[in-house]
Amino acid sequence: ILVDCDDPAAMSAIGDAEAAGAGTVKWGGTHCTESALCDVLDVDALTALVQLGITLRASEATVRDDLTAYHSGTITTLDVGVWIQDGELDLQAARDLIGKTAKKREWFKSIPNGGTLGEFVWARIDSLTPTSFGEKLTLIKNQIYGVEPSKTDV
């Protein structure tokens, strides 16, 4: 079971599943899938994720509105590099904003959109594998296929 740690109800119920023998992988902290992913993406990948949001949300204006809802200013461009270059946000603030927005506006909460997010992750699996996000994916793979985690797995 993959557990988003930003949902207190899920966190309180997970103990029962673990007691029953279910394998669990938690993102840690207060991360959900979206924020855990954004926390390890570089500027170009964050911009690509925003572009994916446009595809799923049907328009640039919708995604700008989504992002502006969780930002103190108005988002006028969807290029994360420009946000950073212009001093509007630093990299971590951009990661936080995109992760929060994707979660709160449910960019990936349907089965088809979740599959699209999976394709996004798979296309970047080589760069994600050595990250904290990739480590969690490795743990999930090991649980599914019955591979014992090594001492280097988290």
Side-chain angles (χ1 to χ4, degrees), residues 19-90:
T24 61
V25 175
K26 300 175 187 112
W27 289 120
T30 58
H31 278 303
C32 60
T33 301
E34 297 89 341
S35 66
L37 175 60
C38 287
D39 214 36
V40 300
L41 294 178
D42 64 18
V43 172
D44 292 336
L46 286 168
T47 298
L49 188 63
V50 170
Q51 293 300 313
L52 182 60
I54 293 168
T55 301
L56 301 176
R57 299 283 286 148
S59 77
E60 288 186 24
T62 301
V63 171
R64 272 195 311 273
D65 290 347
D66 287 351
L67 291 161
T68 298
Y70 300 103
H71 181 54
S72 58
T74 300
I75 300 295
T76 58
T77 179
L78 297 176
D79 183 332
V80 176
V82 172
W83 300 350
I84 294 168
Q85 181 181 6
D86 290 350
E88 187 170 346
L89 294 169
D90 63 20

Side-chain angles (χ1 to χ4, degrees), residues 52 55-56 108 110-122:
L52 182 60
T55 301
L56 301 176
F108 307 109
S110 70
I111 292 171
N113 290 7
T116 301
L117 180 61
E119 291 169 1
F120 177 90
V121 168
W122 184 249

Side-chain angles (χ1 to χ4, degrees), residues 5-16:
C5 294
D6 67 332
D7 182 352
M11 292 303 294
S12 66
I14 203 64
D16 293 337

Side-chain angles (χ1 to χ4, degrees), residues 138-150 153:
T138 298
L139 285 174
I140 294 165
K141 179 184 81 173
N142 292 347
Q143 287 183 9
I144 291 170
Y145 295 106
V147 177
E148 289 295 320
S150 71
D153 288 334

